[in-house]
Amino acid sequence: MVDKSTDLLVGWLSKARNELVVNAVAFQDHITRTMLQPDFSLTDPLWRCKRKAARSPQARGAEVRALWRQDQQEEREYVLESSCPPLTLAQKLGLVASPGERLTEDEWMQVKARSVHQGESAQPCAICREEFQLQPQVLLSCSHVFHQACLQAFERFSRKMCCPLCRKEQYETRLIHDAARLFRHQCATRIQACWRGYVARKRYKTLRKSICPKDKQLRRRFFEAKLQELNDSFVRYCHTDTEAFLSDINRSLSSSRQVFQQLERKTVSEPRENDWDRIQSQVIQRDVRDCPICLTALCSSSLLPEACTSTHGHRPTVLLSCSHLYHQLCLEAFEAFTVENRPSCPLCRSLYHKKLI
């Protein structure tokens, strides 16, 4: 009886030991396949990542061309893990819970709607804290959004699949383009705003140049700018030799002055006797007593009988056709001093005929 119980105990112990060994192997396989990255090896004591083989330039060129063709195609969203990973031994034995079923397209739409409602794509990436812009972004089944490269780096660093925000494990990832579309819309909005601002500023400058403002200071600046533009255009279209240009203007003015003087000489005629009487009456009314040249008293018995008591003696007086009186000697000295062929009156600068009185 004792031998039979001993055999049963030994059999149970061996069975328990075998089951324990199987469970340990199953847990080790589960940890290796789920918790660690496939690039790590248990035989490497330093847990170094296996280096990938160097790619040839032809392979890199083919990859670039493939990416370019992918960008040229229409953007589409797809799940990165297209099929469920195989179950580990621990999951088959029931030691670890099996992963749930893959999300359907309707469930993904609900996850995406929840992500849009939370504004995940409009906010920076929670890992690198930078904007998504046109970089690839992934949507997790927990409705959180990250850069694809940032999520892969986080998984390599943490050595397990765990959401950086909610810590949910065994999630599914889906490639989306919401942030890229939002970034393109923002860029288009900025470009349109810059263009509209440029058009508005250009139109405003055109209106400022063509319409006079109502404000006094602005109106003054408007006319000053117009005058400056006219001066600049005048200088720009003028001859480069300014001195020659000004000398031509002086010659033109002098020739015009000579022409007018000749016309004036031709039009002036000698007064008649009645005209001289009228001119003498004008002189008597003005009561002129001094010569405008020497500023001494005039002596004329016919016009100014009271002025003949001058200390300078009697000097002949000349009456001009412009009704001005001078000493004869003073007027002759003035005529000799002038360079004109026919001098003008020292006071009114008009051509004259003279009469000794």
Side-chain angles (χ1 to χ4, degrees):
M1 189 66 182
V2 175
D3 295 337
K4 187 176 181 180
S5 61
T6 303
D7 294 338
L8 292 175
L9 180 60
V10 172
W12 180 81
L13 289 176
S14 61
K15 184 179 180 181
R17 185 169 57 252
N18 293 335
E19 185 178 358
L20 182 62
V21 171
V22 172
N23 293 339
V25 173
F27 277 116
Q28 185 178 7
D29 178 67
H30 178 76
I31 293 173
T32 304
R33 294 177 58 180
T34 59
M35 303 299 292
L36 301 179
Q37 292 295 322
D39 291 340
F40 289 95
S41 175
L42 291 176
T43 59
D44 190 356
L46 300 179
W47 296 88
R48 293 179 180 176
C49 180
K50 294 181 180 180
R51 295 184 178 179
K52 297 181 180 179
R55 292 175 297 175
S56 61
Q58 292 79 6
R60 289 196 296 269
E63 184 179 356
V64 171
R65 288 192 294 272
L67 292 176
W68 182 79
R69 286 194 297 269
Q70 182 179 359
D71 293 339
Q72 294 297 323
Q73 295 177 357
E74 184 179 2
E75 294 181 351
R76 62 185 184 90
E77 299 180 357
Y78 56 91
V79 181
L80 296 179
E81 300 87 2
S82 58
S83 61
C84 295
L87 298 178
T88 62
L89 182 58
Q91 292 174 346
K92 291 180 180 179
L93 296 176
L95 301 176
V96 178
S98 301
E101 298 180 357
R102 309 288 291 185
L103 296 179
T104 61
E105 189 65 26
D106 295 337
E107 292 175 345
W108 272 117
M109 291 296 102
Q110 294 178 4
V111 172
K112 185 176 180 180
R114 186 165 60 253
S115 175
V116 172
H117 179 71
Q118 295 173 359
E120 294 287 339
S121 299
Q123 300 176 2
C125 176
I127 299 177
C128 64
R129 302 306 301 171
E130 293 182 0
E131 299 292 339
F132 288 102
Q133 296 183 356
L134 298 178
Q135 301 178 10
Q137 61 173 151
V138 290
L139 171 65
L140 305 188
S141 56
C142 57
S143 73
H144 293 138
V145 181
F146 306 95
H147 281 128
Q148 184 178 7
C150 295
L151 183 62
Q152 293 174 356
F154 180 80
E155 291 176 352
R156 287 196 302 268
F157 177 77
S158 62
R159 299 177 183 176
K160 61 180 179 179
M161 292 183 62
C162 178
C163 178
L165 291 180
C166 62
R167 304 302 179 185
K168 180 181 179 181
E169 298 181 356
Q170 301 301 327
Y171 51 77
E172 298 181 32
T173 56
R174 182 184 178 92
L175 187 67
I176 61 175
H177 307 280
D178 293 351
R181 285 192 289 267
L182 181 61
F183 180 72
R184 292 192 186 97
H185 178 72
Q186 292 176 355
C187 293
T189 303
R190 292 177 182 175
I191 293 173
Q192 292 177 359
C194 293
W195 173 252
R196 290 171 181 171
Y198 168 74
V199 172
R201 288 191 296 270
K202 186 175 181 180
R203 182 180 179 185
Y204 176 71
K205 290 182 180 179
T206 304
L207 292 177
R208 285 191 59 183
K209 291 180 180 180
S210 58
I211 299 178
C212 180
K214 296 181 180 180
D215 185 70
K216 184 177 181 181
Q217 297 294 335
L218 296 179
R219 189 185 301 111
R220 180 177 179 181
R221 294 178 183 177
F222 175 80
F223 287 114
E224 288 178 355
K226 287 293 184 181
L227 182 59
Q228 186 65 33
E229 290 180 1
L230 292 176
N231 292 336
D232 294 340
S233 61
F234 176 74
V235 173
R236 185 168 55 253
Y237 288 105
C238 281
H239 196 272
T240 55
D241 191 357
T242 309
E243 296 295 335
F245 177 74
L246 295 178
S247 62
D248 292 340
I249 293 178
N250 291 333
R251 285 195 296 270
S252 300
L253 290 176
S254 61
S255 61
S256 300
R257 189 181 297 110
Q258 291 176 2
V259 170
F260 282 117
Q261 288 178 357
Q262 291 177 2
L263 292 175
E264 188 176 0
R265 291 191 189 98
K266 291 181 180 179
T267 54
V268 175
S269 59
E270 185 175 0
R272 300 178 182 179
E273 191 65 28
N274 297 332
D275 297 333
W276 284 115
D277 296 339
R278 179 177 54 79
I279 293 171
Q280 290 181 4
S281 61
Q282 293 177 2
V283 173
I284 294 173
Q285 291 177 1
R286 287 204 307 268
D287 192 17
V288 178
R289 298 178 180 274
D290 296 332
C291 175
I293 298 177
C294 64
L295 301 179
T296 58
L298 295 170
C299 294
S300 176
S301 57
S302 60
L303 296 178
L304 303 171
E306 299 87 357
C308 294
T309 59
S310 175
T311 58
H312 296 279
H314 179 73
R315 288 190 292 178
T317 303
V318 177
L319 174 63
L320 303 186
S321 58
C322 57
S323 72
H324 292 134
L325 289 173
Y326 299 94
H327 287 134
Q328 183 180 6
L329 297 178
C330 296
L331 184 61
E332 290 177 356
F334 176 79
E335 293 175 350
F337 178 76
T338 57
V339 295
E340 298 178 358
N341 296 329
R342 186 174 180 181
S344 58
C345 176
L347 289 180
C348 62
R349 301 298 180 183
S350 61
L351 298 177
Y352 58 85
H353 292 277
K354 56 186 178 180
K355 178 181 180 182
L356 183 64
I357 56 175

